[in-house]
Amino acid sequence: MTERVTIPIAEQRYDTALPYVPESQQAPTGRLIDARGRPLHDLRVSVTDRCNFRCGYCMPKSVFDRDYAFLPQSSLLRFEEIERIVKVFVSHGVEKVRLTGGEPLLRKDLEKLIERLARLTTVNARALDLTLTSNGSLLTRKAAALRDAGLQRLTVSLDALDDDVFRAMNDVDFPVCDVLDGIDAAAKAGFRSIKINMVVKRGVNDHQILPMAKHFRGSGHVLRFIEFMDVGASNGWRLDDVMPSRDVVGAIHAVFPLEPIAAQYGGEVAARWRYLDGSGEIGVISSVTEPFCTDCSRARLSTEGRLYTCLFAASGHDLRGLLRGGASDGQLAGAIAHLWQSRADRYSEIRSSQTQGLRKIEMSYIGG
Ligand code: SAM
Ligand code: SF4
Ligand code: SF4
């Protein structure tokens, strides 16, 4: 009998101490630059560690089973707490916020959080760029309400068009037609941009690359192919299972010719390609074969308010403790500034023997 490995969230947390910022000390405001010269630009906020799917590369059933200890409700950041932390990040120059999880649409009343965040403006007096990543399973029901709450952009994860392959990958037998209907519902609701994320796992869904490209070209939605990453400690990652993005681009280019296009902004994770016949563009996210740590401008806030400065970080920083302990906005801003300014993460660039055996936090907790 194989031994079941469970890594409850409580055992995954390794906090490093936050600096004490006296109330009297003026917190630095404005843009923050880390120890490698990278500005803080994006914040990803995980609103739940729970999910109704069990994708093997993220929340394999063998680990995330019915005995798995998900976070209790009282541990979750409340909406007003998330809003307060986001405001402090915005005062430090953050322009883009992505809500994620787990499956963010499982969080009760999420529209109320979106309403709060959608009205924030950046230090340059522009509307905050607010977006959300979802597995699409609840979108047919929720797309209109999300749009009404002020969400303008959306990313839907979809790993295959073939129903059998998709059901096997989500591992809860969820049909692909319901996600496709959800994407259509989002388009009807008037989202300004809809992106589709496909994680490619060699030998599992690489034969779905072309059908997916064919389906979404000309739709106005940008399909992005993500290399299978070694996030967390439970997905059994092996380099052999990674399909390099250059092979994905090569396979599509052979049938639908492509040309590269420039990034829209510094630090954009996806390299962009457009179809020569004008039927849209695709993106590839090559965190394994072409790491982009040099430009990485993202911070991550976990479901219970821990701040991580890298997707592969082993430890986080307890902002919720500060918040609930009565810290002022200035003290929060000071702590965040200290953390970002001392950040030197570059996991994907040094991924190799140096990173093997490192303890890492799970993607569903930290937010993808
Ligand atoms: N549940 C939502 C979803 O699936 O879109 C949001 C959270 S999910 C963790 C965010 C993104 O991370 C998804 O696009 C998912 O496919 C991707 N992801 C999860 N595990 C991954 C892995 N091991 N390698 C690459 N991408 C991964
Ligand atoms: Fe759930 Fe998203 Fe992870 Fe799949 S990738 S298990 S949908 S959180
Ligand atoms: Fe950023 Fe860490 Fe990913 Fe490098 S490995 S791109 S530092 S999140």
Side-chain angles (χ1 to χ4, degrees), residues 279-318:
S279 53
E281 66 175 85
I282 61 160
V284 287
I285 301 177
S286 324
S287 129
V288 179
T289 63
E290 292 168 58
F292 35 79
C293 301
T294 329
D295 289 327
C296 180
S297 53
R298 282 169 298 285
R300 291 178 157 83
L301 186 64
S302 78
T303 314
E304 54 180 346
R306 286 184 162 73
L307 182 67
Y308 291 84
T309 54
C310 177
L311 181 54
F312 299 92
S315 61
H317 312 275
D318 183 16

Side-chain angles (χ1 to χ4, degrees), residues 134-259:
S134 165
N135 63 22
S137 59
L138 300 169
L139 260 186
T140 14
R141 268 196 279 143
K142 300 203 169 185
L146 295 171
R147 185 68 198 86
D148 290 347
L151 190 68
Q152 301 207 21
R153 304 200 306 116
L154 187 65
T155 299
V156 181
S157 302
L158 178 63
D159 295 330
L161 272 188
D162 180 278
D163 194 48
D164 291 340
V165 177
F166 184 67
R167 286 176 192 258
M169 287 188 80
N170 62 54
D171 210 10
V172 292
D173 211 25
F174 196 86
V176 75
C177 57
D178 286 12
V179 177
L180 293 171
D181 287 349
I183 295 170
D184 288 346
K188 281 205 191 81
F191 278 89
R192 181 156 60 80
S193 147
I194 301 174
K195 292 194 174 111
I196 314 295
N197 275 359
M198 171 177 177
V199 175
V200 184
K201 216 175 152 188
R202 194 193 287 282
V204 175
N205 65 339
D206 47 342
H207 62 298
Q208 291 294 295
I209 294 169
L210 274 177
M212 286 283 285
K214 198 170 169 192
H215 183 86
F216 286 107
R217 65 198 290 276
S219 68
H221 311 327
V222 176
L223 175 59
R224 305 190 311 172
F225 298 91
I226 307 179
E227 287 179 352
F228 171 39
M229 292 186 282
D230 49 336
V231 206
S234 58
N235 68 7
W237 184 85
R238 295 180 322 141
L239 188 57
D240 287 352
D241 295 333
V242 178
M243 173 98 170
S245 292
R246 62 179 167 279
D247 295 352
V248 173
V249 171
I252 298 173
H253 178 70
V255 182
F256 306 117
L258 292 163
E259 65 178 359

